[in-house]
Amino acid sequence: MIEKERFVPIRIQKNHALLKRIPKNHPKRPDIESDQSRRLAGYKGELAIDFYLNKLPEKEYLILHDLRLSNGKYFFQIDTLLLSTAFALVLEVKNYNGTLFFDPDFNQLIQTNNKGETKGYPNPIEQASQQSSELKKWFHKRNITIPVEYLIIISKPSTILKTAPGYSKMLLKVQHAQFLLRSIEKIKASYKNEVMTAKNLKKISRTIIKEHTPETFDILKYYGILPGDIQTGVICKACSSLPMKRHFGTWYCANCHSKDKNAHVQALKDLFLLNKNSSLTNQEICRFLHLPSGDIAKKLLTSMQLPYSGSKKGRVYFPPPGYQQMKELE
Ligand SMILES: [Zn+2]
């Protein structure tokens, strides 16, 4: 059963909002675009394994996607976590194509892609093993006793896996997605004893979800982009031009003459994604949406039932709950 769903990763959402709103010839655009295509490929790989995970017996496994937990100072991230009453399984998904050589000497992964280009990556086996030991610590701190296993899943069936002679054991933890269920069966066979009740497991799952901390990240600062480089205004869904104009209670596009009553909702999401603070003032929102007055802004924000704190001039608004839980980029 899926306990925590997979959504478009926040970094992809932030990149997307940024790419929509910086000029076409912005010097940072190529960097952002290449980061975005790498992340989108990774996300596509994660979605590809859902096909197999959906075939798991619902009652036996709790599935939690995209977790970010902390053992104190640092956070660790898990692509997918499977929980059963006998064991926990960390899945690290990689969407690499071509040939992957797991180099035991230098503890790295060397990819030769379909064009014959080579590229080095940190060893994903090492990564997944670290995540599982962090998870073990996390469980230990909460007096939860459950064995933790891990697997690296290669989402593309055509990817070739290689390692140095004599090191084939190294690849025991690396599997193509189509063998995922078989690997889970094998792990299950080696943990015959249940270590907790289904009720307890559900409780642990709820604790994990409660302690999951979504990533906050100042994307403008990361790329060194000035707030002034961001094109403000409501974007027209029909023709992508901006800014739309607020006119008789709706948004009007001067370019394609479309009207859209709710076009500000997406603009506001963009603003929250690009903003370094989690809250915004009426004035900031007014400026970004190109609204003629704070009263109109207040009316729109009230109708959206945005959470807020403070009163009158000191009021700040927070993003609508779950605004980052999108299945597709908007
Ligand atoms: Zn338009």
Side-chain angles (χ1 to χ4, degrees):
M1 196 154 89
I2 297 175
E3 293 285 296
K4 184 175 178 294
E5 277 195 85
R6 194 197 308 284
F7 296 105
V8 178
I10 290 169
R11 283 288 287 274
I12 291 182
Q13 296 186 29
K14 285 183 184 265
N15 277 343
H16 184 67
L18 192 55
L19 287 168
K20 277 197 285 185
R21 291 184 175 275
I22 54 168
K24 287 273 174 281
N25 60 356
H26 195 282
K28 290 287 160 65
R29 183 172 276 274
D31 285 354
I32 306 162
E33 278 173 349
S34 96
D35 183 64
Q36 184 71 334
S37 69
R38 193 177 56 82
R39 285 177 192 277
L40 282 171
Y43 180 53
K44 211 175 134 193
E46 289 176 28
L47 291 177
I49 73 155
D50 289 348
F51 172 77
Y52 301 99
L53 292 177
N54 284 339
K55 293 183 179 174
L56 282 172
E58 275 224 356
K59 279 191 182 147
E60 249 174 82
Y61 296 97
L62 303 182
I63 304 173
L64 295 95
H65 290 299
D66 188 21
L67 294 172
R68 190 168 174 269
L69 299 168
S70 161
N71 271 328
K73 210 171 173 190
Y74 300 103
F75 283 94
F76 61 100
Q77 276 175 286
I78 294 174
D79 289 345
T80 297
L81 176 66
L82 254 61
L83 296 173
S84 81
T85 48
F87 65 93
L89 173 62
V90 171
L91 299 178
E92 169 77 17
V93 186
K94 293 293 177 201
N95 191 36
Y96 298 142
N97 63 22
T99 300
L100 302 180
F101 178 75
F102 290 80
D103 182 349
D105 294 329
F106 295 102
N107 202 14
Q108 64 171 349
L109 175 71
I110 301 159
Q111 175 200 34
T112 307
N113 70 15
N114 298 335
K115 291 179 206 150
E117 301 156 343
T118 58
K119 209 174 165 185
Y121 296 96
N123 186 354
I125 305 173
E126 195 68 32
Q127 264 182 303
S129 136
Q130 271 169 17
Q131 285 155 5
S132 70
S133 44
E134 287 297 326
L135 184 65
K136 276 180 207 162
K137 264 190 242 165
W138 194 92
F139 281 148
H140 184 75
K141 274 188 187 168
R142 287 156 187 83
N143 289 323
I144 299 165
T145 313
I146 185 168
V148 180
E149 286 283 337
Y150 65 89
L151 281 176
I152 294 91
I153 304 302
I154 306 295
S155 56
K156 280 197 167 77
S158 58
T159 307
I160 297 164
L161 306 174
K162 280 185 177 169
T163 187
Y167 284 94
S168 58
K169 266 196 171 164
M170 191 174 172
L171 297 185
L172 283 175
K173 301 272 189 197
V174 188
Q175 292 291 336
H176 276 113
Q178 68 265 38
F179 303 122
L180 175 59
L181 297 186
R182 205 178 67 184
S183 306
I184 294 173
E185 276 305 308
K186 258 192 191 168
I187 294 171
K188 185 184 157 187
S190 63
Y191 293 104
K192 290 207 171 69
N193 298 329
E194 296 202 336
V195 291
M196 65 182 71
T197 62
K199 204 175 156 189
N200 250 333
L201 191 70
K202 194 94 181 166
K203 212 174 122 193
I204 292 171
S205 158
R206 277 199 299 267
T207 311
I208 294 175
I209 293 168
K210 212 176 86 197
E211 295 207 19
H212 160 74
T213 314
E215 191 179 19
T216 51
F217 184 76
D218 184 350
I219 190 117
L220 296 193
K221 192 175 159 197
Y222 178 77
Y223 282 111
I225 292 174
L226 302 168
D229 291 350
I230 300 295
Q231 295 174 319
T232 56
V234 171
I235 297 175
C236 169
K237 254 190 199 158
C239 74
S240 305
S241 70
L242 84 185
M244 293 183 97
K245 269 203 172 120
R246 187 81 191 161
H247 198 61
F248 295 119
T250 186
W251 294 94
Y252 171 74
C253 172
N255 186 48
C256 75
H257 310 294
S258 295
K259 282 178 191 164
D260 184 348
K261 255 187 153 35
N262 294 315
H264 58 281
V265 176
Q266 186 55 46
L268 208 53
K269 281 185 187 175
D270 289 349
L271 181 56
F272 276 117
L273 286 167
L274 298 176
N275 194 41
K276 69 173 190 293
N277 303 320
S278 59
S279 62
L280 292 164
T281 63
N282 181 306
Q283 204 186 4
E284 285 170 310
I285 293 170
C286 220
R287 196 186 73 85
F288 194 78
L289 300 182
H290 296 204
L291 287 169
S293 81
D295 285 343
I296 299 178
K298 198 176 169 191
K299 230 169 109 184
L300 279 181
L301 299 171
T302 309
S303 76
M304 280 179 75
Q305 295 180 311
L306 276 197
Y308 62 83
S309 73
S311 60
K312 293 190 179 155
K313 282 216 153 39
R315 177 173 290 186
V316 290
Y317 293 88
F318 298 97
Y323 88 111
Q324 287 172 328
Q325 297 180 350
M326 54 175 93
K327 288 269 184 186
E328 276 170 42
L329 284 174
E330 289 160 3

